[in-house]
Amino acid sequence: MDTQKKEIALIGAGKIGKGYTADLFSEAGYHLIFLCHSLKQAEAMRAQGSYTIFKYRNGQEAPEEYQISDFEAYSTAAEYEQCLAVLARVRYATVHVYPGAFQAIGHMVGDAIRRRVAEGNADTLDLMLCLNYIDADRILKRYIEQRLETEEERRYFAEKVGVGMALTFRWGAEPQPWMLQKDPLCACVAESPDLPVDAEAFRGPVPPGAALRPLTKMRERLAYKLWGGNVSSAILANLSMQRGYAYTGEGREDDGVYLASVLGTREAEFGFDQVYHLTPAEKAENVRGRNHGERPREQVRQEQGYQGMDPVTRVGADPARKLARQDRLVGPAIACMRAGRIPFFLAKAAAAGFYFKNPADASACEIQDYIARRGIEAAVETYCELDLTDPAEQALYQLILAHYYDMSGEDPITLPYFKQ
């Protein structure tokens, strides 16, 4: 077995996989092996043999174009054996999938570990999780362990397999029509020069030559990315949708939306500081500059380029995940309430999330169906995962509902009473 071969499996072939990790590892000379769910996508990638990345740099109106080649592609749904063979061989893999796929991916990795043990492969396997989801590493580990049957397999997992978080700082947008006409398999992303990874999670060496930035305190850093950075985009997307805007750039031009994105971000950072502990230097190292919610609008206009035309449906996609207890809105809001600060704008953005509608977004459709069947009060309790016996969470629940009703435009006489 050639353990020195530079290759990497990329689990998931969406915007992050094709436009971020593939770019970084391809530039470092790695052979790429995409493991994607769709057989149609895998076949299209194999047939075409290459694809284009359109990369926007700050302040540029036109993107730079890069070609990605030297890759394989297999379907985890239809070509499982090929996928297992890859994971039983490689030393590195990145993971960029939605939470709904965590179980399937964890089980596949577990099956690959069993094969590695059976084949006598003593090499390490390090997984870098490019997932905006707190506790994703713990969840993946639990699903991996479900497939392990022997003590030898469990020992191999503990000693040879690293599962660590990575921080994705490139946004990925839907390609414009002219891009798709040029290359139907293209990816459209912003620039970010490296990928921060968990230095403490690796069982083998950090992938040599790749533009990775090993850091410690990764759980805190991921929380800060969500609560101190992604929160601004969530506020912007939810309130833009609620006010009828199609693009985030349009919402940012609305004084009310802009105000909420700035002040809500400040609330979230206050909440972060109540729960997690990063020094100012670590925060600056983590974020590498302030997010859009903390920069003057004119500066953002000059820097954002194509991002201003980013669809609200993409930025706010999967609202059920983003309204959850530990995520970017409710997580810091609870922390604020416990510390005696009213998270007025975070609650407002959470309320707007219950108006998020997109027929193509299964998560958004699920929430709207739940509201239609059970009512908004049950929906807020369920999707925000609030404990209504806790005084601070009961107060936050009331605040989110108040904002929701304030946005409704309904006759107040028809509105239901709050739960006591």
Side-chain angles (χ1 to χ4, degrees):
M1 180 182 298
D2 182 8
T3 59
Q4 302 304 310
K5 184 177 181 180
K6 292 177 70 173
E7 61 180 358
I8 185 168
L10 297 94
I11 303 176
K15 299 177 182 66
I16 298 302
K18 289 171 61 181
Y20 194 174
T21 56
D23 186 24
L24 294 182
F25 283 98
S26 176
E27 187 174 348
Y30 282 75
H31 175 64
L32 311 177
I33 311 171
F34 288 98
L35 308 182
C36 58
H37 179 76
S38 168
L39 177 60
K40 182 178 180 181
Q41 182 183 20
E43 290 177 336
M45 293 179 71
R46 292 197 294 257
Q48 186 164 297
S50 67
Y51 67 88
T52 308
I53 295 178
F54 294 95
K55 186 190 298 182
Y56 283 90
R57 300 184 187 273
N58 281 346
Q60 287 186 341
E61 294 186 3
E64 299 177 8
E65 299 183 27
Y66 301 82
Q67 288 295 310
I68 299 293
S69 56
D70 186 24
F71 63 77
E72 303 170 47
Y74 302 103
S75 164
T76 58
E79 298 169 324
Y80 194 73
E81 282 302 311
Q82 292 94 320
C83 295
L84 278 188
V86 169
L87 290 176
R89 179 183 80 238
V90 299
R91 298 189 65 175
Y92 303 107
T94 57
V95 181
H96 11 74
V97 298
Y98 287 110
F102 285 3
Q103 180 176 356
I105 298 304
H107 286 175
M108 182 173 67
V109 173
D111 290 344
I113 290 172
R114 296 185 62 200
R115 181 170 294 192
R116 291 170 83 98
V117 171
E119 294 176 352
N121 183 353
D123 288 339
T124 53
L125 170 62
D126 284 299
L127 306 176
M128 293 159 275
L129 309 184
C130 305
L131 306 168
N132 285 330
Y133 197 90
I134 295 175
D135 286 339
D137 53 343
R138 295 172 180 171
I139 295 170
L140 260 293
K141 286 178 180 179
R142 185 169 69 247
Y143 285 131
I144 291 171
E145 289 167 347
Q146 289 177 356
R147 305 296 271 200
L148 307 181
E149 297 180 350
T150 69
E151 191 58 38
E152 184 181 9
E153 291 166 355
R154 286 186 281 271
R155 184 168 58 251
Y156 186 100
F157 179 40
E159 297 175 357
K160 298 287 188 177
V161 181
V163 182
M165 299 303 299
L167 304 179
T168 55
F169 286 119
R170 281 189 190 181
W171 57 261
E174 294 298 331
Q176 298 184 51
W178 68 266
M179 297 175 182
L180 293 170
Q181 186 174 13
K182 200 168 188 177
D183 182 353
L185 297 181
C186 69
C188 178
V189 296
E191 185 203 13
S192 184
D194 57 24
L195 178 69
V197 294
D198 188 348
E200 300 173 317
F202 282 89
R203 295 294 182 263
V206 175
L212 304 180
R213 185 157 45 110
L215 297 171
T216 58
K217 298 185 178 180
M218 211 59 172
R219 192 167 302 280
E220 293 89 339
R221 292 180 188 277
L222 176 60
Y224 189 61
K225 179 180 184 292
L226 292 174
W227 293 15
N230 292 39
V231 64
S232 175
S233 297
I235 296 169
L236 185 64
N238 287 0
L239 290 174
S240 294
M241 168 69 78
Q242 192 272 326
R243 296 196 180 194
Y245 299 119
Y247 298 98
T248 56
E250 295 174 327
R252 193 175 286 111
E253 294 303 311
D254 183 306
D255 288 344
V257 174
Y258 175 67
L259 175 74
S261 70
V262 172
L263 298 186
T265 298
R266 293 177 186 173
E267 291 172 350
E269 185 145 354
F270 174 86
F272 173 86
D273 289 336
Q274 310 312 304
V275 179
Y276 300 99
H277 303 288
L278 290 178
T279 67
E282 288 169 336
K283 287 182 178 181
E285 182 183 41
N286 189 69
V287 175
R288 286 190 167 178
R290 303 300 297 171
N291 56 66
H292 286 173
E294 282 291 304
R295 299 208 301 276
R297 266 189 290 190
E298 184 55 40
Q299 181 182 351
V300 174
R301 290 190 193 105
Q302 294 173 359
E303 294 178 356
Q304 66 185 0
Y306 177 51
Q307 190 176 4
M309 295 301 290
D310 211 355
V312 169
T313 51
R314 190 205 71 80
V315 180
D318 193 6
R321 171 169 61 93
K322 294 171 182 175
L323 286 167
R325 180 183 184 85
Q326 292 193 72
D327 217 274
R328 61 210 73 189
L329 295 172
V330 176
I334 292 173
C336 284
M337 293 296 297
R338 297 199 189 289
R341 178 166 177 172
I342 303 300
F344 181 88
F345 294 101
L346 289 173
K348 184 175 184 177
F354 289 95
Y355 285 103
F356 199 93
K357 298 178 181 179
N358 178 10
D361 188 323
S363 173
C365 293
E366 175 191 318
I367 291 177
Q368 294 307 310
D369 178 67
Y370 193 96
I371 293 172
R373 291 185 294 104
R374 301 282 307 277
I376 184 59
E377 294 190 357
V380 171
E381 180 181 359
T382 298
Y383 287 98
C384 297
E385 301 176 299
L386 296 173
D387 177 3
L388 300 189
T389 66
D390 181 285
E393 297 186 33
Q394 169 68 220
L396 176 60
Y397 166 79
Q398 301 284 359
L399 183 58
I400 294 172
L401 284 174
H403 279 300
Y404 180 89
Y405 289 131
D406 184 53
M407 296 171 181
S408 71
E410 296 180 20
D411 181 348
I413 301 300
T414 68
L415 299 177
Y417 291 108
F418 291 160
K419 290 179 179 178
Q420 299 301 316

